[in-house]
Amino acid sequence: MKVSFALISFWFSFILGQQVPECTRELAATDDCADVINANACYNQFRFRNNQTLSCIGGTNNDERAKKACKCCGCVGQVMCDWVKQQRFQC
């Protein structure tokens, strides 16, 4: 029985860890998220392949840009959230 509980707990943590942060209307309307959303053409240019993608986001430094990407990735889509996770930003 303990094994089953452990497997179920692992499964739920895996599923919950894969969810994209919800993009609410209020969140999308913030300046931080506008910096992330408005960079779509730049993302397409770099195809989420390198650190150039972070430079697409408006901000004064990479730490600020990374925080915006973490907060607002759901407003861009799953590919953005996957890229944020792959970069291992401190979200």
Side-chain angles (χ1 to χ4, degrees), residues 12-21 78 81-82 85:
F12 275 116
S13 66
F14 179 76
I15 296 298
L16 293 175
Q18 297 296 317
Q19 290 182 341
V20 173
Q78 183 66 46
C81 291
D82 291 345
K85 289 176 188 175

Side-chain angles (χ1 to χ4, degrees), residues 6-90:
L7 287 174
I8 291 171
S9 296
F10 174 75
W11 183 77
F12 275 116
S13 66
F14 179 76
I15 296 298
L16 293 175
Q18 297 296 317
Q19 290 182 341
V20 173
E22 181 181 358
C23 182
T24 62
R25 187 176 294 198
E26 292 80 19
L27 182 62
T30 64
D31 289 339
D32 286 349
C33 286
D35 287 342
V36 176
I37 295 167
N38 292 338
N40 273 327
C42 185
Y43 303 144
N44 290 337
Q45 178 182 359
F46 296 115
R47 305 273 187 217
F48 294 97
R49 281 186 252 156
N50 53 36
N51 287 336
Q52 293 287 340
T53 301
L54 190 59
S55 69
C56 295
I57 299 169
T60 56
N61 59 48
N62 282 345
D63 290 337
E64 182 181 328
R65 291 179 188 107
K67 286 179 185 177
K68 289 179 181 182
C70 290
K71 178 180 175 184
C72 303
C73 75
C75 295
V76 175
Q78 183 66 46
V79 67
M80 178 66 161
C81 291
D82 291 345
W83 181 80
V84 166
K85 289 176 188 175
Q86 183 182 33
Q87 299 304 309
R88 297 186 180 126
F89 293 141
Q90 296 298 319

